[in-house]
Amino acid sequence: MTLFWKRLIICGLGVLAGLVVWPVMELFVASQTRFPNYLVFSVASGSVFGLLLGLFLGTAEGIIAASDRRIMIGAATGAGLGLLGGVLGFVVGQAVLFVVGESLLVREEDLRAVGFPLARALGWAVLGLFVGATEGIRAWSLRKAAMGVAGGFLGGFVGGAVIEYGSVHMEQAPLVRFVGLMLLGASIALFHALIERQLSFGVLRLLNGRYKGKEFVVNQRRTVVGSGQDADFILNGYREVLERHARLRYKDRELYIEPAAGTQAAAVLVNNRPVAEHRLKYEDVIKIGSAKLFFRHE
Amino acid sequence: MNTVRKLGLLTVLVFSAQVLWAEVNITQIDPGRLLTRQQVDVYVAVTDPAGVPAEGLSARDFRLYESPDGEQFTEIRSFGFSTVADLDAGITFYLLLDNSGSMYDTIDDERTDDPEEMRITHAKRATRVFLDSVDHPRDRIGLASFNTFYRTHSGPIESRLQIERLLDEIRRPGPGEGFTELYKGIIEASRELADARGRKVLIVLSDGENYPFTMHRGQPHPEYGTHVYEYTESIEQLEEDGVSVFGIHFGTEQEDNLNTIARSSGGRVYDARDDAELADVYVDIRERVLREYVLSYAPTMDPSERKYVQVEYEERKSDPRSYFAGTILGTAPADLGFWALLPVVLALALWALIRQLRLQNRRSDANLEVLAGGRAATRMFSLPEGRTMIGGSDNADLTIHGAPEMRAHHATVLYNAKTGRYRVESDSEIAVNNQPTTKQDLEAGDVLNIGGTIVVFDEGAADPHKTPDKDGGKGEAKGKNKKQL
């Protein structure tokens, strides 16, 4: 699967997440009077939305890596972080809204039209920030988490702004929320992809076999390639690939490949030659077991 | 108390009804603890027909109403009750003194060089009396002055002594500095009170009308440009910051809009002719605020951007005042019923479908894929079992355009029927897997660089019927139970 497909699938999962959140959101809006106070209302709505968004987007990496275990871990991490982010985002967002809302109410139409959506979008942005961090935390990569945080924040903000802008300006508020929520999920994924693209160290493209064309983005300082479920890049369906076969390391602004610890020195070939440690450059062809990978920059 | 009664009569009476009936006014709404404690504080002033604040009232004397639309009000049965004087929080007073040129005339608008006769001297003296009367340790006082420019002397602080000293900072304005930017002054002072907690009172002392620089000089204001501030902007800012204005006319001219500003913000306007009267006014303002009542109530959860509050005393209702109560979610839900389940079911079904998707390499024939460099008619080119000429020429089997180093007939891929394998040959140097060569047997996944164009060779091993499954054999078995994309 090329990067294009991979990213399309993540965006699609974001859309599905929005699809699930929508009726729940309508339910919350309809039952506001059943809540004892604004704090409980904010905590409850934020946690449920965050949980659902995190749950769906959390499965993305697992689906792409074709790993059931990774789907489970991602879903659990995503749900947990989403819940936390939803609570924080909505409580902070509501607090900000109560503070600036007063000033916006008395302001001119123009300022109000922009100010309200932006203030409300902030709550969605904080929610998105936590949901975005999921994969980075699962992979225990600060860099990856930071990318997710930035992508999630921007995506949450853009999606949230659309929901809120539409709610203020259009009569069909539920319909706007429906479209806006799906856009929110998709834009969290989209912004994550854009940032990933900016910060990637390179791309490995599979050249042969069943998954020919599948591309892996190198965006961690240390990346393990192998057939095991713990590997960052999982190569299954290829002969002679060990569970932890090769390791990519980013140092001094260059990307290096080497056999993973405990692997035979001849296990990794670059351009038909066995390597101990090799600085990767454009067009290098890596052979790991029977799998061949082409290195390029994104 | 005598002072208060006397001044009650002196008060400028804007609405004649006030003379005949007791009046109830909401002077400030503080929704600062709406999220944390579900509490909104409503400050209420009740005055008798003479304009004297009513004392000794209890919660039973009041009725409190809330509305999500300003029309349908519902009574709130229970609410916390106290007077401002009983509050531990203290009051924040902000003194805004007119320091325009006319403040350096006498009280009767005569020119003078004797500082003792100047209005400003009377104003400062009366302010000192006021400062001495502020006895609650938590009361805070700020000081600012205005003429052509606005100047903050101190934000709200607890030290009266410090404010007294700062009064001496107020000096006669220079040429061009003596205009009266009253409305802008109120806006600036209100902003400085925005973050203060509890009851916020802005006391504005002025001897004349709003007299803006731009309008009367005919040139842009050095700081505000060509914008001429309207009194309505002052009202908006006060409402935004929850500040009440008490105005004092200290002179012969009156600024009519100051009445409107003060009334709409929950305050009132006084006249004063000398420093003794002025000192009484200051004390009256403070005592009035101390006699206000605070009704703290838990708002309903009715969805609305604005909540309106109204207070009733002896069958007289206050004008409604509002505060912001919108949520992130907004209002107007869709009535979905069981249809709500549809998007959920649809999403789960699509999720399961995505998980089953297998974007696998299904090509069974040997092929070349143009990855980068030049352009070919198709990105994937099926290799026949024979010779395939690759080059820039139109009569090549695989024509590559847009690659400057590509020769007309650059390389040939040959199929060996006996071994079932492909081979690449070229007269000039090409690269296979980044290694220079002129001829080489190919295996699946080999990368050819032919004249700057990168091409990937695949023998189509995905089809087990054509050639032995070299690359996927073991993996096929291993991956059988895996769901892959």
Side-chain angles (χ1 to χ4, degrees):
Chain A
M1 170 172 26
T2 60
L3 283 183
F4 173 77
W5 277 101
K6 175 188 156 185
R7 284 164 182 167
L8 196 68
I9 283 172
I10 301 179
C11 284
L13 288 170
V15 170
L16 295 188
L19 205 59
V20 171
V21 171
W22 178 63
V24 182
M25 181 166 173
E26 295 304 320
L27 199 66
F28 267 99
V29 177
S31 53
Q32 186 179 318
T33 50
R34 292 173 191 272
F35 286 84
N37 55 50
Y38 287 101
L39 190 61
V40 171
F41 184 67
S42 303
V43 168
S45 54
S47 59
V48 173
F49 302 162
L51 184 143
L52 290 173
L53 277 166
L55 189 75
F56 267 81
L57 285 167
T59 61
E61 285 290 326
I63 287 179
I64 286 156
S67 159
D68 286 344
R69 186 162 163 262
R70 198 167 283 190
I71 289 176
M72 299 297 284
I73 295 173
T77 319
L81 283 170
L83 187 141
L84 194 66
V87 169
L88 262 174
F90 271 50
V91 170
V92 170
Q94 188 62 60
V96 170
L97 191 64
F98 274 158
V99 171
V100 302
E102 192 62 41
S103 64
L104 291 167
L105 265 189
V106 298
R107 289 292 156 191
E108 282 175 24
E109 197 61 39
D110 292 352
L111 188 64
R112 191 152 60 204
V114 179
F116 272 128
L118 290 189
R120 289 183 155 128
L122 188 77
W124 289 104
V126 175
L127 184 153
L129 180 154
F130 275 79
V131 171
T134 307
E135 174 54 17
I137 288 176
R138 190 207 58 75
W140 210 240
S141 159
L142 188 65
R143 188 182 162 83
K144 218 167 175 177
M147 282 182 342
V149 161
F153 186 84
L154 285 171
F157 193 82
V158 169
V162 169
I163 296 175
E164 305 300 348
Y165 192 82
S167 301
V168 170
H169 294 277
M170 296 183 194
E171 286 179 6
Q172 295 293 323
L175 192 67
V176 173
R177 284 195 286 262
F178 177 70
V179 176
L181 273 171
M182 291 198 286
L183 191 73
L184 174 98
S187 58
I188 289 176
L190 186 72
F191 275 95
H192 180 267
L194 287 175
I195 291 172
E196 182 185 65
R197 195 183 154 85
Q198 287 298 313
L199 296 180
S200 88
F201 298 134
V203 175
L204 294 183
R205 181 190 172 101
L206 261 168
L207 296 168
N208 61 345
R210 202 195 314 174
Y211 302 111
K212 176 180 176 179
K214 180 169 182 169
E215 290 178 310
F216 302 96
V217 185
V218 188
N219 50 25
Q220 294 167 243
R221 291 186 176 274
R222 288 161 189 275
T223 308
V224 173
V225 186
S227 59
Q229 293 294 304
D230 292 334
D232 296 299
F233 297 166
I234 301 176
L235 297 173
N236 55 28
Y238 291 86
R239 283 181 290 120
E240 291 157 25
V241 180
L242 303 174
E243 292 210 337
R244 294 171 65 85
H245 197 123
R247 195 164 66 156
L248 294 161
R249 281 200 298 159
Y250 185 78
K251 58 179 184 185
D252 304 328
R253 306 174 72 82
E254 300 285 358
L255 192 64
Y256 291 83
I257 189 164
E258 63 195 10
T263 312
Q264 284 183 354
V268 177
L269 277 69
V270 176
N271 304 329
N272 302 340
R273 289 175 187 163
V275 292
E277 186 189 52
H278 175 86
R279 180 168 62 82
L280 285 173
K281 54 191 185 301
Y282 182 64
E283 276 187 49
D284 275 349
V285 178
I286 301 157
K287 192 170 181 190
I288 294 170
S290 68
K292 282 188 170 175
L293 298 135
F294 178 77
F295 177 74
R296 67 175 173 89
H297 294 285
E298 194 172 3
Chain B
M1 187 60 207
N2 274 342
T3 319
V4 175
R5 283 196 180 281
K6 191 173 78 186
L7 277 155
L9 293 167
L10 277 171
T11 304
V12 176
L13 305 175
V14 176
F15 299 107
S16 58
Q18 190 185 342
V19 185
L20 304 170
W21 305 100
E23 196 178 355
V24 52
N25 268 316
I26 295 174
T27 54
Q28 186 182 324
I29 293 186
D30 184 0
R33 281 174 289 197
L34 180 54
L35 185 62
T36 51
R37 292 199 204 163
Q38 193 73 4
Q39 180 184 322
V40 170
D41 296 334
V42 183
Y43 292 80
V44 182
V46 182
T47 46
D48 69 12
V52 178
E55 283 188 276
L57 305 182
S58 71
R60 281 196 302 276
D61 296 313
F62 291 96
R63 287 179 147 198
L64 180 67
Y65 302 90
E66 189 202 68
S67 163
D69 56 11
E71 286 166 15
Q72 298 292 318
F73 282 87
T74 320
E75 184 171 358
I76 305 285
R77 293 275 172 193
S78 98
F79 48 84
F81 183 83
S82 69
T83 62
V84 171
D86 292 338
L87 291 182
D88 279 341
I91 307 164
T92 306
F93 292 101
Y94 206 81
L95 304 173
L96 179 61
L97 299 188
D98 187 340
N99 189 34
S100 61
S102 55
M103 285 295 284
Y104 292 80
D105 296 338
T106 69
I107 284 175
D108 299 316
D109 280 339
E110 307 281 332
R111 297 248 162 187
T112 180
D113 291 325
D114 179 4
E116 276 304 304
E117 291 186 343
M118 291 175 182
R119 265 197 204 109
I120 191 75
T121 311
H122 289 266
K124 284 182 183 177
R125 201 178 293 144
T127 305
R128 287 197 171 90
V129 174
F130 168 70
L131 290 172
D132 288 342
S133 76
V134 178
D135 52 5
H136 193 294
R138 296 231 174 116
D139 280 352
R140 292 153 66 82
I141 303 165
L143 178 67
S145 63
F146 69 97
N147 38 50
T148 306
F149 301 98
Y150 175 86
R151 185 172 171 201
T152 307
H153 301 283
S154 171
I157 55 170
E158 281 169 10
S159 164
R160 291 99 175 115
L161 219 61
Q162 178 73 8
I163 299 290
E164 272 200 62
R165 271 201 292 272
L166 288 168
L167 278 171
D168 295 331
E169 268 189 6
I170 301 175
R171 302 226 172 84
R172 190 169 199 147
E177 292 176 359
F179 290 83
T180 312
E181 296 276 1
L182 176 64
Y183 303 153
K184 174 64 174 166
I186 291 173
I187 291 171
E188 290 293 327
S190 175
R191 280 186 184 143
E192 296 202 50
L193 276 168
D195 295 333
R197 300 300 299 266
R199 186 76 175 99
K200 299 181 266 192
V201 175
L202 174 61
I203 301 176
V204 183
L205 181 144
S206 177
D207 72 337
E209 287 178 300
N210 188 54
Y211 196 75
F213 180 90
T214 303
M215 193 184 279
H216 298 281
R217 258 289 167 88
Q219 60 193 65
H221 188 285
E223 287 177 9
Y224 318 143
T226 51
H227 185 86
V228 177
Y229 287 89
E230 297 289 335
Y231 76 97
T232 48
E233 290 175 82
S234 307
I235 292 174
E236 279 181 1
Q237 189 67 45
L238 292 163
E239 195 178 333
E240 176 182 334
D241 301 327
V243 175
S244 294
V245 159
F246 285 81
I248 306 167
H249 288 307
F250 189 49
T252 49
E253 280 184 47
Q254 294 209 343
E255 162 64 54
D256 289 338
N257 290 330
L258 190 56
N259 280 327
T260 317
I261 294 171
R263 302 291 305 193
S264 67
S265 70
R268 55 174 55 213
V269 168
Y270 300 80
D271 267 345
R273 292 277 304 162
D274 56 36
D275 54 349
E277 275 185 20
L278 189 55
D280 285 347
V281 166
Y282 273 140
V283 172
D284 183 67
I285 291 172
R286 187 165 171 275
E287 293 195 354
R288 257 174 210 286
V289 174
L290 286 173
R291 283 177 176 78
E292 285 177 4
Y293 298 92
V294 188
L295 278 51
S296 306
Y297 85 104
T300 66
M301 288 297 289
D302 292 339
S304 171
E305 295 281 282
R306 239 182 224 265
K307 288 278 177 67
Y308 297 81
V309 181
Q310 202 169 29
V311 175
E312 185 182 328
Y313 167 73
E314 286 188 348
E315 295 182 358
R316 283 194 63 78
K317 283 185 176 171
S318 70
D319 286 339
R321 276 186 76 158
S322 68
Y323 61 92
F324 179 79
T327 66
I328 295 181
L329 299 191
T331 51
D335 188 12
L336 294 173
F338 281 106
W339 290 103
L341 288 173
L342 192 67
V344 178
V345 172
L346 184 68
L348 290 173
L350 286 171
W351 183 85
L353 198 69
I354 288 179
R355 196 158 160 268
Q356 296 294 332
L357 264 180
R358 287 158 188 263
L359 290 175
Q360 293 185 15
N361 175 26
R362 295 189 187 282
R363 282 189 80 99
S364 56
D365 54 341
N367 61 73
L368 291 175
E369 180 184 7
V370 180
L371 211 59
R375 297 183 313 278
T378 65
R379 203 169 59 84
M380 298 290 282
F381 178 82
S382 289
L383 282 172
E385 291 182 353
R387 295 170 64 91
T388 303
M389 173 67 73
I390 303 168
S393 161
D394 281 342
N395 62 19
D397 300 308
L398 174 56
T399 307
I400 309 280
H401 296 292
E405 291 169 39
M406 178 73 70
R407 291 162 51 202
H409 299 109
H410 203 116
T412 308
V413 175
L414 306 135
Y415 179 69
N416 184 334
K418 283 183 194 160
T419 59
R421 298 194 65 168
Y422 286 87
R423 178 180 176 81
V424 65
E425 291 181 358
S426 173
D427 294 338
S428 55
E429 195 172 79
I430 58 169
V432 175
N433 296 339
N434 241 348
Q435 300 294 323
T437 184
T438 52
K439 52 187 135 188
Q440 187 167 328
D441 286 339
L442 296 174
E443 64 172 59
D446 277 346
V447 175
L448 286 65
N449 186 331
I450 304 168
T453 296
I454 294 167
V455 178
V456 181
F457 167 77
D458 194 355
E459 58 195 9
D463 181 359
H465 301 297
K466 187 182 173 191
T467 53
D469 185 9
K470 285 182 177 168
D471 284 328
K474 186 185 169 193
E476 194 68 43
K478 191 180 172 188
K480 208 156 241 171
N481 295 324
K482 304 278 177 208
K483 296 173 177 83
Q484 295 227 251
L485 283 166

